[in-house]
């Protein structure tokens, strides 16, 4: 377990209950945790976890110039993911008609999503709008093709895992916890105005 | 980028590209070309211009209204009126346009056409903005309050806004409007493309809003903070499509969540000096050999059909006797150029095996063949005396050939 876990961490993977249940359980044991941590330290790495401890990943102990270069690349990927992932999460709330966002462990059934979107022109329109993002352009000009592309890209990025190939059931991974943490950070530090007031004067004039 | 920087950027763009903005305002559309493409993209990002068609841009509804107001334009529509009254305006403008068209008042017709276009775009912009904004509010805020008093206040707010939207959308009678502009293809296409095609989307959003209203009209709910964060962020990104987050990886202290290692590519190699794993390595190598052979088999070059030069025995064909003597006869002619040589005398001297009549036939044929290559050999028939009764026939008893240079 130790060996495969360390290899996955070194390959930049997020270890959560969904992607590697045994590995995640292994790290819950403090003794195992320190063994892995100890090993990583020799490489100037450490074992980091998301705020809610829903996933583990490897981080640098000391950020020198080489580490900074690597971090820059990882950050650029996050920058690329920000807009489409936010749009996907918001769209899923509309699809599932729920007041909670997706959380690690939640499941998405391809067939159910397809049925919902096909029967809702506004959602179909939103799905089509994903084509403006890099990596989401589908060759197929159908709701099914676009939805397949959306879910497969999110799987490639590590936010989803295909739990059942036959029924096409996807499961949300612990990496989403990392995404929420980053989103919160950006909102707070860049002062993004996410609170919309009901009495906003600009909107009043439109009616 | 701070809000102050954003404002400065906006004002600079307005000043730098005032010509394009004025063109969009007065002419209704600016088309993209190689010179203005960059400026148009920037103005679109700043929401000064919005798409008119595939390669055209128009002034955004709000900015257009602001300019109308600032210039006290006669285009000005009262902003305190509801959207439904804009639909009435649209119908009236179409009727006036038709009258102007029927009475051949070209200038008036053009003005009405431009005004109709603006009303359609304004309506479309407002319906899009209001339905999506109200849906976002209702998803992220409605019923998420603590007291009944707050809830009552919210109910009044949302119900009144939904009513206004329902009135606006209900007053749009697609078939009636399209029938009105049936004889004007450009207006028909504009109405269809920019307004009618989008109606199902607005309807759907209204339906979603109503569903939520019905569910939580008399109930409180707790919307989780993360959901509000995502909904608010998504709305912000839709309003600011050109938003680009700060480069936090360039900060002196990199925030914790971006301290993440770059994925390593792990490619182990076998230690052939380690005898403890000798057997395993041998097993792997043996397997590799099989694989290699298999690969080699696959890669073996296909047979090529080789073309070889096969030496064949040369069979010398013996020339017929008459050909040999013909050749000698004609060589003799060339050697004794200018001197006529009788074919019969040559035959009698050298070729007794061939009858004179046959020999003469052969000479005649050969002479005809040689004539195709050159005309150096002149021929003369030596004939028997012709019969009085058959003057057309010639009876040859000899042929005289002579080589002339």
């Amino acid at each position: 377990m130790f060996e495969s876990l360390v290899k996955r961490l070194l390959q930049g993977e997020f270890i959560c209950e969904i992607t590697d249940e045994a590995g995640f359980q292994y790290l819950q044991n403090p003794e195992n945790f320190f063994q892995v941590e100890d090993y990583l330290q020799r490489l100037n790495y450490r074992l980091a976890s998301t705020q809610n401890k829903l996933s583990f990943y490897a981080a640098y102990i000391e950020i020198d110039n080489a580490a900074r270069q690597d971090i820059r690349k990882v950050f650029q990927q996050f920058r690329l993911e920000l807009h489409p992932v936010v749009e996907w999460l918001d769209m899923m709330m509309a699809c599932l008609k729920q007041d909670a966002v997706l959380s690690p462990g939640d499941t998405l059934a391809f067939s159910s999503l397809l049925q919902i979107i096909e029967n809702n022109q506004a959602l179909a329109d939103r799905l089509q709008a994903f084509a403006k993002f890099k990596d989401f352009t589908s060759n197929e000009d159908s709701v099914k093709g676009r939805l397949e592309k959306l879910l497969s890209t999110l799987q490639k990025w590590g936010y989803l895992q295909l739990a059942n190939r036959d029924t096409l059931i996807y499961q949300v991974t612990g990496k989403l916890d990392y995404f929420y943490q980053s989103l919160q950070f950006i909102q707070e530090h860049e002062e993004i105005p996410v609170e919309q007031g009901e009495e906003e004067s600009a909107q009043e004039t439109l009616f | 980028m701070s809000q102050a920087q954003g404002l400065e950027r906006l004002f600079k763009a307005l000043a730098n590209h005032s010509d394009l903005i004025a063109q969009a305002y007065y002419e209704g559309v600016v088309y993209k070309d190689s010179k203005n493409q960059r400026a148009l993209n920037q103005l679109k990002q700043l929401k000064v211009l919005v798409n008119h068609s595939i390669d055209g841009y128009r002034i955004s509804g709000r900015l257009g209204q602001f300019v109308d107001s600032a210039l006290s334009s006669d285009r000005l529509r009262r902003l305190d009126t509801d959207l439904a009254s804009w639909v009435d305006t649209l119908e009236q403008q179409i009727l006036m346009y038709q009258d102007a068209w029927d009475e051949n008042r070209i200038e008036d017709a053009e003005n009405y056409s431009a005004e109709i276009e603006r009303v359609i775009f304004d309506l479309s912009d407002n319906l899009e903005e209001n339905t999506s904004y109200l849906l976002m509010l209702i998803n992220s805020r409605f019923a998420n309050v603590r007291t009944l008093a707050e809830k009552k206040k919210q109910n009044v707010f949302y119900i009144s806004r939904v009513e206004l939207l329902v009135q606006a959308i209900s007053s749009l009678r697609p078939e009636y409007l399209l029938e009105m502009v049936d004889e004007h293809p450009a207006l028909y296409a504009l109405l269809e493309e920019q307004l009618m095609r989008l109606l199902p989307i607005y309807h759907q959003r209204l339906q979603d809003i109503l569903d939520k209203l019905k569910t939580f009209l008399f109930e409180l709910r707790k919307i989780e903070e993360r959901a509000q964060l995502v909904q608010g962020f998504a709305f912000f990104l839709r309003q600011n499509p050109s938003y680009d987050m700060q480069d936090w990886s360039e900060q002196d202290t990199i925030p914790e969540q971006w301290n993440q290692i770059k994925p390593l590519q792990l490619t182990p190699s076998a230690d052939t000096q380690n005898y403890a794993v000798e057997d395993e390595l041998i097993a792997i190598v043996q397997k590799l050999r099989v694989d290699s052979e298999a690969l080699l088999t696959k890669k073996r070059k296909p047979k090529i059909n080789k073309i070889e030069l096969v030496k064949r025995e040369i069979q010398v064909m013996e020339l017929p006797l008459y050909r040999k003597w013909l050749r000698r006869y004609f060589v003799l002619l060339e050697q004794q150029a200018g001197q006529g040589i009788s074919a019969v005398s040559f035959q009698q001297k050298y070729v007794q095996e061939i009858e004179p009549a046959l020999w003469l036939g052969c000479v005649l044929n050969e002479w005809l063949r040689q004539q195709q290559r050159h005309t150096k050999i002149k021929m003369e028939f030596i004939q028997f005396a012709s019969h009085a009764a058959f003057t057309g026939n010639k009876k040859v008893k000899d042929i005289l050939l002579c080589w002339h240079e």
Side-chain angles (χ1 to χ4, degrees), chain B residues 68-304:
Chain B
D68 289 344
S69 164
L71 299 178
S72 300
S73 164
D74 55 0
R75 292 166 166 182
L76 187 63
R77 278 183 297 283
R78 288 178 59 210
L79 293 178
D80 56 349
T81 56
D82 57 51
L83 286 174
S85 74
W86 291 16
V87 180
D88 290 340
T89 309
L90 176 63
E91 290 178 7
Q92 285 164 17
Q93 294 284 353
I94 292 172
L95 288 172
M96 287 194 281
Y97 168 78
Q98 280 175 331
D99 288 346
W101 183 267
D102 292 342
E103 291 159 17
N104 208 20
R105 289 182 280 122
I106 304 298
E107 197 175 330
D108 285 350
E110 282 176 0
N111 287 338
Y112 288 129
S113 171
E115 184 57 19
I116 290 166
E117 188 172 292
R118 281 165 49 82
V119 179
I120 290 172
F121 282 131
D122 284 354
L123 260 172
S124 169
D125 283 355
N126 277 286
L127 285 172
E128 166 64 32
E129 203 168 326
N130 283 294
T131 51
S132 61
Y133 180 73
L134 196 62
L135 182 61
M136 186 278 298
L137 276 185
I138 217 146
N139 279 335
S140 63
R141 294 184 68 85
F142 184 63
N144 190 35
V145 288
R146 290 177 186 170
T147 64
L148 195 60
E150 280 181 283
K151 183 74 185 59
K152 278 182 180 170
K153 200 176 155 196
Q154 263 198 341
N155 285 355
V156 172
F157 174 87
Y158 284 104
I159 288 171
S160 65
R161 264 132 196 85
V162 170
E163 272 176 351
L164 286 169
L165 276 174
V166 169
Q167 278 170 18
I169 293 176
S170 310
S171 60
L172 269 172
R173 292 169 293 171
E175 284 173 11
Y176 173 66
L177 279 173
L178 288 172
E179 203 179 306
M180 284 176 88
V181 293
D182 201 18
E183 290 173 7
H184 308 283
L187 280 184
Y188 188 97
L190 185 76
L191 199 59
E192 168 86 36
E193 181 71 19
Q194 301 293 338
L195 207 54
M196 301 312 172
R197 192 184 61 81
L198 303 170
L199 279 179
I201 295 171
Y202 306 145
H203 272 293
Q204 186 61 55
R205 284 191 193 140
L206 266 184
Q207 189 58 52
D208 292 344
I209 290 167
L210 284 172
D211 287 349
K212 214 73 157 191
L213 272 181
K214 277 193 285 187
T215 311
F216 295 106
L217 198 58
F218 304 108
E219 279 181 40
L220 298 183
R221 65 174 172 161
K222 177 75 189 150
I223 303 171
E224 65 166 23
E225 274 184 31
R226 274 185 171 179
Q228 284 183 313
L229 172 70
V230 167
Q231 284 170 329
F233 218 112
F235 187 73
F236 169 79
L237 290 175
R238 278 198 290 277
Q239 296 293 97
N240 302 277
S242 58
Y243 162 79
D244 197 7
M245 63 186 285
Q246 279 182 40
D247 195 343
W248 293 96
S249 66
E250 294 295 340
Q251 300 282 315
D252 290 339
T253 309
I254 292 175
E256 174 57 23
Q257 60 267 23
W258 285 296
N259 177 4
Q260 195 187 329
I261 68 162
K262 189 183 140 198
L264 299 179
Q265 299 281 340
L266 302 179
T267 47
S269 301
D271 179 5
T272 52
Q273 301 296 312
N274 184 359
Y275 296 109
V277 290
E278 192 178 2
D279 291 342
E280 286 83 352
L281 284 178
I282 288 170
I284 291 168
V285 169
Q286 279 173 341
K287 193 169 181 291
L288 283 177
R289 196 186 295 156
V290 173
D291 289 349
S292 305
E293 279 171 6
L295 285 171
L296 281 173
T297 311
K298 276 181 194 167
K299 284 185 180 174
R300 191 171 291 159
K301 281 187 180 176
K303 277 187 182 175
I304 296 170

Side-chain angles (χ1 to χ4, degrees), chain A residues 71-145:
Chain A
I71 287 172
R72 203 170 287 143
K73 283 177 190 161
V74 174
F75 180 78
Q76 292 311 326
Q77 178 59 29
F78 180 83
R79 233 178 182 178
L80 190 78
E81 293 173 8
L82 175 72
H83 205 146
V85 174
V86 168
E87 180 57 22
W88 165 62
L89 291 169
D90 189 43
M91 190 179 154
M92 287 302 107
M93 285 175 71
C95 281
L96 305 172
K97 293 185 188 294
Q98 57 186 31
D99 292 336
V101 274
L102 290 175
S103 294
D106 285 352
T107 53
L108 294 173
F110 179 85
S111 55
S112 308
L113 282 179
L114 183 64
Q115 197 180 4
I116 292 166
I117 297 169
E118 279 181 334
N119 291 320
N120 187 318
Q121 186 60 45
L123 289 173
D125 204 49
R126 284 181 77 171
L127 182 65
Q128 191 173 3
F130 271 90
K132 70 184 174 213
F133 302 122
K134 199 185 163 208
D135 294 334
F136 287 89
T137 316
S138 169
N139 293 329
E140 278 191 55
D141 190 25
S142 66
V143 173
K144 185 169 176 279

Side-chain angles (χ1 to χ4, degrees), chain A residues 16-204:
Chain A
C16 71
E17 213 164 359
I18 314 304
T19 55
D20 183 357
E21 191 181 358
F24 184 77
Q25 293 302 334
Y26 181 83
L27 288 175
Q28 300 300 312
N29 181 331
E31 197 180 322
N32 296 335
F33 183 95
F34 289 121
Q35 269 186 11
V36 174
E37 172 90 329
D38 187 47
Y39 182 85
L40 290 177
Q41 275 181 6
R42 292 183 219 166
L43 305 169
N44 183 32
Y45 298 149
R46 64 185 171 80
L47 194 55
S49 64
T50 53
Q51 267 176 352
N52 298 321
K53 309 274 180 211
L54 292 178
S55 62
F56 295 94
Y57 59 97
Y60 292 97
I61 296 174
E62 198 182 321
I63 299 174
D64 55 13
N65 282 341
R68 196 172 269 277
Q69 289 274 346
D70 291 348
I71 287 172
R72 203 170 287 143
K73 283 177 190 161
V74 174
F75 180 78
Q76 292 311 326
Q77 178 59 29
F78 180 83
R79 233 178 182 178
L80 190 78
E81 293 173 8
L82 175 72
H83 205 146
V85 174
V86 168
E87 180 57 22
W88 165 62
L89 291 169
D90 189 43
M91 190 179 154
M92 287 302 107
M93 285 175 71
C95 281
L96 305 172
K97 293 185 188 294
Q98 57 186 31
D99 292 336
V101 274
L102 290 175
S103 294
D106 285 352
T107 53
L108 294 173
F110 179 85
S111 55
S112 308
L113 282 179
L114 183 64
Q115 197 180 4
I116 292 166
I117 297 169
E118 279 181 334
N119 291 320
N120 187 318
Q121 186 60 45
L123 289 173
D125 204 49
R126 284 181 77 171
L127 182 65
Q128 191 173 3
F130 271 90
K132 70 184 174 213
F133 302 122
K134 199 185 163 208
D135 294 334
F136 287 89
T137 316
S138 169
N139 293 329
E140 278 191 55
D141 190 25
S142 66
V143 173
K144 185 169 176 279
R146 291 188 196 111
L147 185 61
E148 275 170 355
K149 186 68 188 172
L150 172 69
L151 298 179
S152 66
T153 303
L154 290 162
Q155 187 189 356
K156 193 178 86 183
W157 286 353
Y159 294 103
L160 288 178
Q161 177 161 289
L162 193 56
N164 189 318
R165 283 184 190 281
D166 298 329
T167 52
L168 287 180
I169 299 216
Y170 290 84
Q171 218 171 353
V172 179
T173 70
K175 192 179 176 183
L176 202 60
D177 200 36
Y178 169 82
F179 184 83
Y180 289 135
Q181 186 182 324
S182 306
L183 198 64
Q184 182 76 43
F185 176 89
I186 297 165
Q187 192 270 316
E188 284 171 9
H189 289 81
E190 295 191 22
E191 295 173 359
I192 304 288
V194 293
E195 287 276 326
Q196 302 291 334
E198 286 152 350
E199 286 80 25
E200 206 161 88
S201 57
Q203 290 292 320
E204 292 276 339

